[in-house]
Amino acid sequence: MAKVPFKIGYIDTVHGICPHCEEDTLLVAVVTDYYKCTHCGEETRQYVNGSIKYLKLDDKDREWLKENRSSE
């Protein structure tokens, strides 16, 4: 069985406070403006209004993610 090289492209990551676990952590982009906490695994939404904040997802956000998340 031939080995296939594994290639990872650009991964959008940010440093911030997770609103779920309240840890200062690395957040990895799921799609634009939506991130997953590397500490607790919860998904958050980035909110920019003079400063950057990360918010817990509401039902509308979860529905949008379900429709727009890449299947890869």
Side-chain angles (χ1 to χ4, degrees):
M1 177 182 250
K3 282 191 169 185
V4 178
F6 184 69
K7 184 178 179 182
I8 296 178
Y10 173 77
I11 298 173
D12 183 17
T13 60
V14 295
H15 182 255
I17 304 293
C18 174
H20 296 278
C21 65
E22 298 180 355
E23 292 292 326
D24 189 2
T25 187
L26 186 66
L27 302 161
V28 179
V30 177
V31 292
T32 303
D33 296 334
Y34 289 85
Y35 293 83
K36 183 176 280 274
C37 175
T38 58
H39 187 263
C40 70
E42 291 292 331
E43 294 175 337
T44 62
R45 180 172 57 92
Q46 187 181 61
Y47 176 74
V48 180
N49 185 15
S51 66
I52 298 173
K53 295 180 181 177
Y54 297 92
L55 308 173
K56 292 181 181 180
L57 300 185
D58 59 21
D59 291 336
K60 182 178 174 184
D61 292 323
R62 284 186 182 84
E63 189 60 36
W64 188 91
L65 264 178
K66 191 185 307 180
E67 293 172 4
N68 293 285
R69 186 187 309 246
S70 171
S71 61
E72 295 178 30

